Amino acid sequence: MPEFAPAAYSIPLFVSALALTALAVFHAVSMWRQCRRLPLGDIMWSVFYVALLLVVGIFCLLGGIDAEAGILDLGAYAVALFLCGTITLMRNRISDGMAELPIKLRAALRAVAIVCVIAFVSIVSAWMIDYVWLDTSGSIQLQYFAVTVLLFALASVALYFLGQRGGALVTFVPLCAVGFGIAQYFVVMFKGTPIMPTDLLSLKTAGAVASGYNYVLTPKMVVALCATAVCACSLSLIRPNYRSFSRRTRAITAGASTLVGVVLLVALGGLFNTVKLEDAIEFEYDRWMPITTYQTLGFAPAFIEVAQDLKIPEPEGYDKQQTAVLLDQLVEEFDSTMGVASERLAAEAQFSDIKPTVIAVMNETFSDMSIYEAVREAGYGGPQFYSSLEGTLQRGTLMVSVVGGGTANSEFEFLTGNSMAFIGTGKYPYQLYDLSESDSLVKQFKQLGYGTVAMHPQSAVNWKRSSVYEQLGFDRFLSIEDFESAPVYHSGATDASTYDKILELLEQDAAPQFIFDVTMQNHSGYGEGSVPAEDVVGLDVAGVDDPAALSELGVYLACINRSDQDLAYFIEKLKGVDRPVALVFFGDHQPGLAGTLADSLYADAAQLDREFKKHESTYMVWTNYEVAGTGFGQVRTTSSSQLAAQVLYALGAPLTDRQKADLVLGQSVGAINLLGYIGADGLRYELGTDSPYRETIAQMQAIQYLRFTEKLGQ
């Protein structure tokens, strides 16, 4: 059988689209010649099928079709959609034939047809949504599949009545199923995580970064789109039958149908708010590895379980007054111990005198992949300048709550001191909450008389930063418009261009400033050609057999090397600045390919250990002046929610009561993230399990609830 270029696959699709268009035109002309009214629906259904043909055809034309799909597969798809369109255009003849039957028989057949079609569409939609993205969709247990079918059936019935007992609106069910299935496929492939409810609140952010990925239609997607067309064809045959009714009867029937549809939708909303799906199906949602829940239950039930878990849970046995007393006690303990240490007192006096500018750089996807022994053994020693920089005040491993994406949550933890461990999986506070009343590092510096500036060389709407930064207290926000002429590397403006902007701010204002820089250069994906070929780091990592993963690793390491060079440039510039400056530099998370590395290289390790490995980033604190006191230069594992308090303590800056309490508790729990925590004994513990530090964790959660959640008005 001859081989064809992917572009040739589009030929049967475009031919079928053209033929269906011609058939629709012929149908319209025939109706006109017969002096019959042409239903708008006939044209709209034809447009729907033509659109499905053109979408796949354009992907083929652009080479965006998986190699496993052959021209015969695409030809079959073209024929199937042409037949669906033809059947839909013949529905008038079917209706005319039904009209010849006795009224009771006609009504009975219509009722049976409606039930069968809705059942068929619900089952096919439930199958499609997981078939597209999940390799083992057939392994989903029948009771969980039945839950998905039931949910789609209820939605279909509601839309049936809202659509005046026609099938047009019900088409949204298979369309949403195939749409979410395809989106889930790409999200899992690119980020290693499933679609979460809060992702729907960040569609602008997703759209802004989506251009960095390559999209290829798989054979499964083509099959699912074909199934969508078959569902639409079946639904097109369900038509409102009001023509024989009087105007008054039509109005009453339409009103009653709308009312029933609204009642059903309200009932569905009520079920969501009153029935916890997790309890109803007796399945515990995996809060730190949610993709396993999606793989077990299927997309729809898992998505609902996560959505029902969005509210921040109140700590068990929480008492507001007792927590306030606890906070006071911890503050007293700090004031009598850590607060009177000689190093701290010396640093306090110095800080009050010099008011150093504080620069925090959250470097996009910056991490040290040499933590993976096999990567190190393959010849990669980590970012050279960063690793060898001398004179750091503090540095070490940074435990974060995200991997492969979710930058805003690392940002949130650092700027507010709140841990995602006590907020929950799948939540993005930037998207969910009004942070105007929340304490923040920004507001803290403003109270000290600092100017506050945030910068990110991307769209200001990403993660709602344009409004969130204002809520957190920033005076200014420099976004993509302020970097229009900046040099670009990989995914955006270079790190160095943001550093130049910081240096410019320092030159413009001699007063102390707090500057927060969120870089963009290293953002995923890491496809071939996204960096110069000579920059790619070629490694043969023992234990990693996936060529695509190794290719991505090479591109990613090229980005890190470039960031390392830019950091060296920035440090050298800061050394020459005639004012005291403290630099806090940290990576927000590891790239999504960390999942492949950890799972391949540590297949025999406990799942918790693998997850901790993936959620390990790095940080360092450096100053261009000598901080008073001598006891602060250290290597320490911490977390993004605890970092700011530790930096302020080391610099001698004033601390809030919350930060003082966190520093005291941090002596027992040195790092915490969404997965678990590291105790003073150096061991890792999963959240919710018994440990010597269970009481400390409970205290941390209660204080965060008091100082953060209570202010949200939940």
Side-chain angles (χ1 to χ4, degrees), residues 133 183-196 213 288-292 294-295 403-405 524 552 590-596 599 611 614-615:
W133 74 275
Q184 174 85 335
Y185 171 85
F186 288 121
V187 170
V188 171
M189 181 172 69
F190 296 140
K191 294 174 58 179
T193 59
I195 295 175
M196 307 295 274
Y213 300 112
W288 58 275
M289 193 66 172
I291 193 168
T292 60
Y294 280 73
Q295 292 168 337
V403 61
S524 57
E552 287 187 19
Q590 289 187 40
L593 62 93
T596 300
D599 293 339
E611 292 304 315
K614 299 174 192 176
H615 289 78

Side-chain angles (χ1 to χ4, degrees), residues 385-397:
F385 175 80
Y386 172 83
S387 302
S388 61
L389 178 62
E390 296 181 351
T392 55
L393 199 62
Q394 183 175 312
R395 71 182 311 148
T397 297

Side-chain angles (χ1 to χ4, degrees), residues 212-244:
Y213 300 112
N214 295 320
Y215 299 91
V216 175
L217 291 183
T218 67
K220 282 189 171 185
M221 293 178 191
V222 175
V223 171
L225 288 171
C226 186
T228 303
V230 173
C231 288
C233 180
S234 303
L235 290 167
S236 71
L237 302 178
I238 301 178
R239 307 172 64 184
N241 189 22
Y242 296 165
R243 286 180 295 178
S244 61

